[in-house]
Amino acid sequence: MNIYITGMGCISALGNDINQTLYHLQNEKSGLTYMDFVETEFKQKFVAGEIKMSNQDLANRFGISDKIPTRTSLLGLWAAQDAVAQSGIEIVDKTYKTGFISASTVGGMVNTERHFDKYLKGIDYEDFVSSNDMGDSTEFIANSLKIKRFVTTINTACASSLNAIILGTRMIKQGILDRVIVGGSDALCKFTINGFNALMLLDTEACLPFDARRKGINLGEGAAYLVLESEKAIKDKSKILAKISGYGSSNDAFHQTASSPNGYGLQLAMKAALTTASLSTTDINYLNAHGTATPNNDLTEGWAIKETFTEGISFSSTKSFTGHTLAASGSIEAVFSILSINNNFMPANLGFNQAIEEHGLIPISTTQQGVSLKHIMSNSAGMGGSCSSIIFSKS
């Protein structure tokens, strides 16, 4: 059974909609800057992929002026509404079973940290507790879209939203749902900035994925959602953007934060994706790598790519445009992959200059325009060993 993408929405440091995102990707315009809106002592120290809107700016789109939801919720609703609008589906149409699967790692922490001092003093208890649940943003978005049949939240670290897409695909294949909105949302907050700083994984300048000089990640924020539909649920085939032809998930069970030295988990995920798609490595035209720009990931993922694609593969990391958007990265990069298929280009790996000595892989350093792309693979990997790969194909 083929599973089709009929709508997508995206908001990130690259832009507030699909058109802005496409323009900046094709023209090598990075969204990385110093932070303006996160109240942290590191505001002018670390470069990040920040969306240049306040919470009130985001809320204004939905006419919300009182009891503003979390930033995670607002970003997620922004992207999810755009995806539904592009697909043209009617949620209230009970002919088809509709679900919503959303991913996050930050969740309600963006509110928790603002209310924590008040909470310790015994005030503002309700607001502190109600927004802290990881599923808070999921419930808010689902209720706003009026989806009730199936709603769930996924947190598998930085592989979360890619796993949301995979779960949605499987549920349609198994006949549990006919269509499902899948993706993820994460917002910048002090908790993650301080946490990654404590791990010494942040770069003070624009990150350098797969470069020998890489120092660490730039954190980012954003949201992206796809509308997945079975063939029988699609009313207008002209809406089809691409299809999901293969997917795979694994866990290398090596370390709480580091991946195994040879990237074994990603090797398993990529090979599983190829198997479910009935494709060989030579069928894949481009790989959107996880590429966090950390010493560990780019070394180990590089080995995984080299071991899997023994004949070589064109690849790049688009985190050099958006920063690492954590749980939202898989769905944001899914949008990038589909844009690449439909607009015949491969995005650049910005900042690359010098290959990593151990494996010597060289990513795409400038945008490749006018290329014919039929199958694109996208990787995501998260702390705790979660590794996932997916293949998008021209419909």
Side-chain angles (χ1 to χ4, degrees), residues 327-348:
S329 63
S331 56
I332 287 175
E333 289 159 29
V335 168
F336 294 172
S337 298
I338 296 164
L339 287 174
S340 295
I341 286 178
N342 290 328
N343 294 277
N344 305 310
F345 78 101
M346 293 186 288

Side-chain angles (χ1 to χ4, degrees), residues 1 3 97 99-101 150-152 164-180 247:
M1 176 192 291
I3 308 301
K97 296 169 287 189
F100 181 66
I101 304 173
F150 180 83
V151 177
T152 195
I165 298 171
I166 292 172
L167 177 58
T169 300
R170 293 178 62 193
M171 293 186 76
I172 292 175
K173 282 192 170 188
Q174 293 165 7
I176 300 169
L177 296 171
D178 297 312
R179 57 194 188 184
V180 55
Y247 49 85

Side-chain angles (χ1 to χ4, degrees), residues 179-254:
R179 57 194 188 184
V180 55
I181 294 91
V182 293
S185 178
D186 258 341
L188 284 167
C189 71
K190 289 190 289 186
F191 184 91
T192 48
I193 293 167
N194 292 343
F196 278 93
N197 182 52
L199 291 170
M200 295 183 289
L201 291 177
L202 293 180
D203 197 338
T204 56
E205 300 176 343
C207 64
L208 302 170
F210 292 105
D211 193 279
R213 302 163 297 149
R214 69 200 186 282
K215 298 176 184 177
I217 70 173
N218 303 134
L219 285 170
E221 64 181 351
Y225 290 87
L226 309 177
V227 176
L228 308 184
E229 296 192 70
S230 65
E231 191 164 7
K232 73 172 185 178
I234 299 173
K235 293 180 179 179
D236 182 357
K237 287 189 167 46
S238 69
K239 296 281 189 181
I240 295 174
L241 302 172
K243 66 181 179 181
I244 296 174
S245 53
Y247 49 85
S249 294
S250 69
N251 193 298
D252 65 11
F254 176 75

Side-chain angles (χ1 to χ4, degrees), residues 146-386:
K146 297 182 169 49
I147 299 174
K148 300 185 181 301
R149 186 179 189 94
F150 180 83
V151 177
T152 195
T153 306
I154 288 183
N155 183 346
T156 50
C158 303
S160 298
S161 59
L162 188 47
N163 283 332
I165 298 171
I166 292 172
L167 177 58
T169 300
R170 293 178 62 193
M171 293 186 76
I172 292 175
K173 282 192 170 188
Q174 293 165 7
I176 300 169
L177 296 171
D178 297 312
R179 57 194 188 184
V180 55
I181 294 91
V182 293
S185 178
D186 258 341
L188 284 167
C189 71
K190 289 190 289 186
F191 184 91
T192 48
I193 293 167
N194 292 343
F196 278 93
N197 182 52
L199 291 170
M200 295 183 289
L201 291 177
L202 293 180
D203 197 338
T204 56
E205 300 176 343
C207 64
L208 302 170
F210 292 105
D211 193 279
R213 302 163 297 149
R214 69 200 186 282
K215 298 176 184 177
I217 70 173
N218 303 134
L219 285 170
E221 64 181 351
Y225 290 87
L226 309 177
V227 176
L228 308 184
E229 296 192 70
S230 65
E231 191 164 7
K232 73 172 185 178
I234 299 173
K235 293 180 179 179
D236 182 357
K237 287 189 167 46
S238 69
K239 296 281 189 181
I240 295 174
L241 302 172
K243 66 181 179 181
I244 296 174
S245 53
Y247 49 85
S249 294
S250 69
N251 193 298
D252 65 11
F254 176 75
H255 188 269
Q256 294 97 324
T257 58
S259 52
S260 55
N262 63 351
Y264 185 58
L266 271 175
Q267 287 188 51
L268 291 174
M270 288 190 282
K271 289 172 182 176
L274 290 165
T275 298
T276 57
S278 298
L279 295 172
S280 67
T281 52
T282 55
D283 293 316
I284 306 302
N285 307 117
Y286 164 70
L287 170 67
N288 185 298
H290 188 54
T292 60
T294 60
N296 177 258
N297 178 88
D298 294 9
L299 177 62
T300 60
E301 186 179 11
W303 281 122
I305 293 169
K306 199 162 186 174
E307 288 292 323
T308 304
F309 294 92
T310 55
E311 68 292 329
I313 182 70
S314 297
F315 77 97
S316 63
S317 167
T318 47
K319 289 182 177 66
S320 54
F321 286 90
T322 62
H324 191 350
T325 55
L326 304 180
S329 63
S331 56
I332 287 175
E333 289 159 29
V335 168
F336 294 172
S337 298
I338 296 164
L339 287 174
S340 295
I341 286 178
N342 290 328
N343 294 277
N344 305 310
F345 78 101
M346 293 186 288
N349 191 110
L350 300 179
F352 178 80
N353 181 262
Q354 181 180 349
I356 296 169
E357 182 179 356
E358 288 85 346
H359 52 60
L361 289 180
I362 299 176
I364 300 164
S365 57
T366 59
T367 305
Q368 303 297 298
Q369 303 278 10
V371 291
S372 178
L373 301 172
K374 188 174 181 182
H375 304 291
I376 287 179
M377 179 182 283
S378 187
N379 286 346
S380 286
M383 290 183 180
S386 183

